[in-house]
Amino acid sequence: MNRQSLLAGIALTFSVGTQAVAQEDQEIPRFTADRVFDLEYADDPQISPDGSQIVYVRHSMDRQSDTNRGDLWIIDTDSGAHRPLIQGGASASSPRWDPAGERLLYSTSSEAGPELRVHFLESGRDFSLAQFAGAPREAVWSPDGTQIAVTMFTPSAPPSFATAPTPPKGAEWSPPVNVIDDITYRFDGAGYLREGASHVYILSADGGSPRQITSGEVDFGTPEWRDAETLLVVGNMAEDRDLDPIESEIYTVSLSDLSMTPLTSRDGPDGVAKVSPDGSRIAYLGYDDEVKSYQITELYVMSADGGEPTHLTADYDRSISNFEWHPSGNALIAQVENTGDIELVEIRLNGSRETLATGLGGTSFGRPYAGARFSVSSERRPTLAFTTADTTAPADVSVQGRNVEDRQLTDLNSDLLPYLDMADVREIRVPSSFDGREIQAWVAMPPDFVADGSFPMILEIHGGPQTMYGPYFSAEIQRYAAEGYVTVYANPRGSTGYGEEFTHLIDLNYPGEDYDDLMSVTDYLIAENYVDPTRLFVTGGSGGGVLTAWIVGKTDRFAAAATIKPVINWLTMALTADIGAFVQRHWIRSDPWSDPDAFWKLSPLSLVGNVTTPTLVMVGEEDWRTPTWEAEQFYGALKLREIDTALIRIPGSSHYIAGRPSRLIAKVDNIMGWFEKYDPAKQENGSDS
């Protein structure tokens, strides 16, 4: 039996029954698994320089190809008129207006491979810029619209210690050996890496052959035009760059002779450089590396030729995730996470701030992560285009700063979600039993919910762990609630959006008292009579998988658990994962061989001797972030201890299990099937799935 047949033979798919009230008895249908294919969401809204039009990526789920595809749609900002622009062919992404607002650059693919195309708005025609050897990324127009800079992987000769003899004609020799000498030789979503580096190229906006601008073994990217003859690029040229992967500096590259000059030089990541409208200043993101697991990303401004920067966010205890210059050049517009919300904040050059918009989000499809995109027009009084969302629907396109009737310009799921009996999501705030800190959480109620203490509960834990959940639509949460589970998700200590001190509470202490935060949220729901204390379940992915495995080693209060793509043993993770160097240097800050206890004491495997909870383990077969052997170690340990367990491997899946609609469905339905198998109420009723 081949390997794939063996996996198919042992794969577990549990039936998912109903909780509380049968689906067919509902007057309004609930959110079923197949509805995932009916959802749409907006992403990457790009407003034209004059603010009159917005092009965005409209995502839909293709049932035939089982993919998340993108089409480009265009909106008239004033009237809200909405029509397709690039549709029907290969998936399209990354639309970017030229400085005059007459052409649109976008990425797609053809039978020949990845493409960058230019679309002319007036004629509706477009053309392919060039034949690229690799996938072009981070494309950006020059200020005069005559050139385009892109980042592209550039292969180089692999290392070799021997010259293999030439096989005879027609011979079937084994493939040649692969020699690896880099510390990062595979990466999640990319697999085993080819020898080479990412480099910056430029080409004419009329098409032609790309010209390579950077070279060598160092990866360079994030190009930005300082002027017609100078590019800004970001790279890590430190001698120990393999061991210090977050280090980076901003460099100028002269297009005349390709000479490079560093504009920054501190120990820490500097990047995302953007030039002011008049070309006199450069704003960028970064921080002084204190060698911690997390630090807030700060906003700086320096002169166009470098020099001492001005730190604009020194007294602002929030991380800047993205920004754009205000057209006046006197301020920047930044995207920040703030206590479960995503906001746009104007940060002036004197350091003063004003919140411009709230309620951004919706670009995370499966789970309720904080994710949003925005852009700014070039008008003196700019118009902002951004994605907005709430718990009732994924991202739509909204606008601010222009005289429009409604801020929200699209309603992509109006044909579906209003006609389903969806979960009501409520915010709660709970004091932690550990130190009384307020923990923000959200509870999704099944459509027939009443606070009678009979409902099962799922505690769903976010990954990262330095990320943030919020009041956003989540296909996974809605599925759980539709099947009758009161589903709670929280931002325990270590989450972003609550200030650096709150996030640092898990530095060298993860898992730690975040466990107490999550148990406090669980206790709250029991005390409020929302759930049955004998019908508690817990799951989470990545960092949430770590905490799930930790929880079942600390308590037996949950009837069943599902740990998804977890880290189980920090020693093996630090030695073999794609971000192992970061884990060793910044996360644990020690070496596995000299201080194994520093890794072991934070590893869920250290608590496996305490586990009595039936625990499902799931991982993608091509996950290099939390590799398959992490999940397999926990599964093997539970089997040796004769604890009920099962291992589900997702074929072809990286760390992002929900990257294809059918995988999202399989993930959620198998989790619920496992929970139903161990639900005391089901067992009492004689159901044995």
Side-chain angles (χ1 to χ4, degrees):
M1 181 180 290
N2 65 35
R3 183 168 177 272
Q4 290 299 322
S5 298
L6 178 62
L7 289 173
I10 65 173
L12 299 175
T13 304
F14 302 98
S15 62
V16 179
T18 56
Q19 310 283 340
V21 181
Q23 293 271 354
E24 58 267 23
D25 293 336
Q26 299 297 308
E27 293 182 2
I28 304 175
R30 295 192 182 186
F31 186 75
T32 54
D34 63 316
R35 289 299 189 181
V36 168
F37 282 101
D38 297 327
L39 291 170
E40 297 183 85
Y41 67 96
D43 198 4
D44 203 6
Q46 294 294 312
I47 194 162
S48 60
D50 66 0
S52 65
Q53 299 180 94
I54 300 167
V55 173
Y56 74 98
V57 183
R58 181 169 177 167
H59 285 272
S60 60
M61 308 300 130
D62 190 310
R63 288 178 184 268
Q64 290 300 113
S65 63
D66 186 26
T67 57
N68 179 338
R69 65 163 288 119
D71 296 304
L72 302 187
W73 283 61
I74 189 166
I75 307 171
D76 181 86
T77 309
D78 293 328
S79 69
H82 189 210
R83 63 180 175 85
L85 186 67
I86 306 294
Q87 185 185 38
S91 189
S93 63
S94 305
R96 294 295 181 268
W97 292 93
D98 79 337
E102 298 171 350
R103 296 166 293 173
L104 197 75
L105 182 68
Y106 69 96
S107 298
T108 184
S109 62
S110 67
E111 293 181 358
E115 282 191 310
L116 268 181
R117 299 186 69 87
V118 173
H119 181 87
F120 290 82
L121 272 295
E122 183 177 359
S123 68
R125 296 175 180 268
D126 64 14
F127 73 98
S128 180
L129 277 171
Q131 292 184 336
F132 294 96
R137 299 174 290 107
E138 302 180 313
V140 57
W141 294 91
S142 64
D144 61 4
T146 63
Q147 298 185 90
I148 294 166
V150 300
T151 302
M152 187 166 61
F153 177 78
T154 305
S156 62
S160 177
F161 305 116
T163 301
T166 302
K169 184 177 181 180
E172 296 183 2
W173 287 18
S174 173
V177 300
N178 293 315
V179 179
I180 296 169
D181 63 0
D182 293 319
I183 191 170
T184 303
Y185 56 91
R186 58 193 172 201
F187 206 81
D188 192 64
Y192 281 83
L193 302 176
R194 294 182 294 159
E195 194 70 24
S198 292
H199 286 296
V200 175
Y201 292 73
I202 62 170
L203 69 160
S204 168
D206 295 327
S209 299
R211 174 193 174 201
Q212 187 172 342
I213 300 303
T214 62
S215 60
E217 298 179 354
V218 175
D219 290 308
F220 289 102
T222 322
E224 171 81 357
W225 294 85
R226 191 179 72 173
D227 51 57
E229 295 299 324
T230 311
L231 275 177
L232 303 176
V233 301
V234 177
N236 181 356
M237 298 183 71
E239 291 185 6
D240 65 343
R241 57 182 172 272
D242 290 342
L243 298 175
D244 189 7
I246 71 165
E247 171 67 19
S248 62
E249 306 295 352
I250 301 167
Y251 299 87
T252 62
V253 183
S254 169
L255 300 186
S256 61
D257 60 8
L258 303 188
S259 60
M260 298 184 67
T261 304
L263 296 184
T264 59
S265 59
R266 66 173 166 187
D267 182 10
D270 290 314
V272 196
K274 298 183 180 181
V275 180
S276 62
D278 65 1
S280 66
R281 300 182 180 94
I282 297 170
Y284 63 99
L285 300 179
Y287 56 81
D288 292 295
D289 187 6
E290 299 176 1
V291 195
K292 294 183 178 180
S293 58
Y294 172 85
Q295 289 181 238
I296 277 182
T297 300
E298 309 275 6
L299 179 62
Y300 300 83
V301 171
M302 62 182 170
S303 63
D305 56 358
E308 188 66 25
T310 300
H311 187 180
L312 297 184
T313 54
D315 65 343
Y316 189 39
D317 195 21
R318 292 295 183 268
S319 194
I320 308 299
S321 59
N322 194 15
F323 71 93
E324 297 290 346
W325 277 96
H326 190 286
S328 68
N330 296 322
L332 298 112
I333 299 171
Q335 180 176 311
V336 300
E337 296 177 357
N338 186 23
T339 59
D341 192 13
I342 303 177
E343 302 175 345
L344 290 182
V345 178
E346 182 177 286
I347 302 174
R348 302 179 186 94
L349 296 185
N350 63 8
S352 62
R353 296 181 298 273
E354 177 185 357
T355 299
L356 302 179
T358 60
L360 278 72
T363 58
S364 177
F365 180 72
R367 293 196 279 167
Y369 282 113
R373 300 289 291 273
F374 80 99
S375 61
V376 181
S377 72
S378 300
E379 306 158 285
R380 187 70 180 177
R381 298 181 62 184
T383 307
L384 311 180
F386 45 91
T387 58
T388 52
D390 56 28
T391 61
T392 64
D396 278 294
V397 177
S398 291
V399 68
Q400 183 166 307
R402 201 173 180 92
N403 186 25
V404 293
E405 184 176 345
D406 295 306
R407 184 174 85 154
Q408 184 174 311
L409 299 180
T410 64
D411 193 0
L412 299 183
N413 294 281
S414 61
D415 59 338
L416 171 67
L417 297 180
Y419 305 102
L420 299 178
D421 203 357
M422 304 293 287
D424 176 34
V425 180
R426 309 173 190 175
E427 180 186 336
I428 60 173
R429 295 184 182 243
V430 179
S432 173
S433 62
F434 178 73
D435 56 8
R437 291 177 187 270
E438 184 178 79
I439 304 302
Q440 188 178 24
W442 293 265
V443 187
M445 311 296 187
D448 58 347
F449 174 76
V450 290
D452 61 3
S454 68
F455 281 77
M457 183 202 83
I458 293 178
L459 171 63
E460 209 287 335
I461 309 171
H462 72 60
Q466 290 112 339
T467 51
M468 184 183 81
Y469 271 166
Y472 311 118
F473 179 87
S474 162
E476 296 187 24
I477 299 296
Q478 287 291 339
R479 279 290 293 125
Y480 294 141
E483 292 294 337
Y485 293 94
V486 171
T487 307
V488 61
Y489 57 96
N491 285 333
R493 67 192 63 212
S495 302
T496 54
Y498 302 86
E500 193 166 55
E501 187 266 346
F502 186 83
T503 310
H504 278 174
L505 292 172
I506 65 168
D507 188 55
L508 296 179
N509 187 35
Y510 170 75
E513 288 78 38
D514 39 3
Y515 165 83
D516 300 276
D517 300 341
L518 295 169
M519 294 307 99
S520 299
V521 170
T522 301
D523 292 338
Y524 175 88
L525 295 188
I526 294 171
E528 293 295 312
N529 214 31
Y530 282 11
V531 300
D532 182 342
T534 71
R535 303 179 71 195
L536 306 179
F537 303 94
V538 59
T539 188
S542 192
V546 175
L547 277 165
T548 298
W550 188 263
I551 284 169
V552 296
K554 299 276 285 184
T555 180
D556 63 358
R557 71 188 303 186
F558 292 91
T563 178
I564 315 301
K565 53 189 181 185
V567 175
I568 293 301
N569 183 345
W570 286 108
L571 288 97
T572 51
M573 196 273 189
L575 292 171
T576 59
D578 61 354
I579 58 170
F582 173 79
V583 169
Q584 181 271 341
R585 178 183 172 90
H586 288 83
W587 197 264
I588 307 296
R589 301 202 281 278
S590 191
D591 298 318
W593 47 90
S594 61
D595 188 11
D597 185 61
F599 294 78
W600 182 249
K601 69 183 180 181
L602 300 175
S603 298
L605 191 59
S606 69
L607 301 179
V608 75
N610 302 332
V611 178
T612 60
T613 305
T615 303
L616 176 71
V617 186
M618 185 184 299
V619 67
E621 290 187 349
E622 297 178 11
D623 188 336
W624 302 119
R625 182 61 42 83
T626 56
T628 54
W629 46 84
E630 294 297 315
E632 290 166 351
Q633 287 180 72
F634 204 58
Y635 170 73
L638 293 175
K639 275 294 186 184
L640 290 172
R641 292 205 56 247
E642 300 184 56
I643 305 300
D644 284 358
T645 185
L647 174 65
I648 295 180
R649 294 165 58 97
I650 310 297
S653 176
S654 67
H655 193 64
Y656 183 40
I657 287 177
R660 301 182 71 170
S662 67
R663 289 178 185 160
L664 186 152
I665 293 169
K667 172 192 172 185
V668 174
D669 282 5
N670 276 277
I671 290 171
M672 289 192 292
W674 180 259
F675 290 168
E676 184 176 4
K677 180 180 175 71
Y678 295 97
D679 188 339
K682 297 295 181 180
Q683 294 171 352
E684 290 174 5
N685 293 332
S687 171
D688 185 11
S689 323

